[in-house]
Amino acid sequence: MSKLPDFEGLAMFAKVAEERSFAAAARTMGSPLPRYHRAVTRLEERLGGRLFNRTSRRLALTDYGHTLAERATKIYAEAEEVEDFARETSSRPRGLVKLAAPLSFGARWVAPLLPEFFRTYPDISVDLHLTDAHADLIGDGLRRGPSRSDPRGLVACRAPGCTCTSVRCGVANLSVTLRSTTAPA
């Protein structure tokens, strides 16, 4: 016997107990009916007790099943909440973007865009390195900017005087357009 709890069996049992019918639970969840029968039977065997009294026309929880149904329903509800949270969290861009730029370019073109960027993407942090000194991108933990032949890097504008106007983060599959009326000097 596995040491891992039978979460699927508990969830299916909770749904059958809630619906008071194997067929209704299967219909509600869009799963095949035999799957519910097998899961509850497997759970009963694992736990060593009957959860339902079954006849051809009636399904009723045993005392043991009634006690377990309350707990299984709580586990099922909490699992749904965890999945909803995970889906919501994974659908939003998040993480750390490290960016190095010359001081004058960063102060004039990047910094003014950050407040709107943070309002739009509150779960993204930016580690902005503004310096006129030569940056060691690898040594400083920054990813290199892309070349024209490899646009997968973080910063799409790498050459002095370049008029590229987009910053792209390949990790978060996120693209931000820098809007300006004039090109950087």
Side-chain angles (χ1 to χ4, degrees):
M1 177 182 346
S2 170
K3 292 185 181 206
L4 186 64
D6 184 359
F7 290 114
E8 181 187 50
L10 288 168
M12 291 184 166
F13 163 66
K15 201 62 182 171
V16 171
E18 176 187 321
E19 297 286 340
R20 300 190 193 302
S21 161
F22 279 92
R27 211 174 17 258
T28 300
M29 300 307 289
S31 295
L33 178 61
R35 184 174 176 197
Y36 279 80
H37 282 288
R38 284 191 302 269
V40 170
T41 300
R42 182 182 68 236
L43 188 62
E44 287 176 328
E45 289 171 2
R46 180 182 174 115
L47 299 176
R50 290 176 47 103
L51 301 172
F52 292 105
N53 287 320
R54 303 172 180 95
T55 66
S56 59
R57 298 195 182 270
R58 192 160 179 261
L59 179 72
L61 285 166
T62 63
D63 289 340
Y64 177 60
H66 187 68
T67 302
L68 190 63
E70 289 180 32
R71 290 182 169 196
T73 300
K74 288 178 186 174
I75 291 169
Y76 179 71
E78 191 165 323
E80 282 185 321
E81 288 176 23
V82 168
E83 279 193 356
D84 290 345
F85 173 77
R87 264 192 296 280
E88 179 185 320
T89 302
S90 69
S91 67
R92 292 188 314 239
R94 66 186 181 291
L96 175 67
V97 174
K98 293 183 177 185
L99 177 65
L103 183 60
S104 59
F105 177 84
R108 171 141 177 163
W109 299 101
V110 178
L113 299 171
L114 291 178
E116 177 63 26
F117 180 85
F118 290 133
R119 279 191 292 279
T120 305
Y121 304 103
D123 296 331
I124 294 181
S125 302
V126 175
D127 185 0
L128 181 60
H129 295 265
L130 299 179
T131 180
D132 289 328
H134 176 71
D136 177 8
L137 297 180
I138 303 300
D140 291 339
L142 300 168
R143 296 174 87 188
R144 67 174 176 77
S147 64
R148 297 285 185 228
S149 63
D150 181 16
R152 295 172 296 163
L154 286 177
V155 183
C157 182
R158 68 178 184 93
C162 179
T163 59
C164 293
T165 58
S166 67
V167 175
R168 184 175 189 291
C169 173
V171 174
N173 197 17
L174 169 70
S175 182
V176 178
T177 301
L178 306 178
R179 303 211 185 275
S180 65
T181 55
T182 60

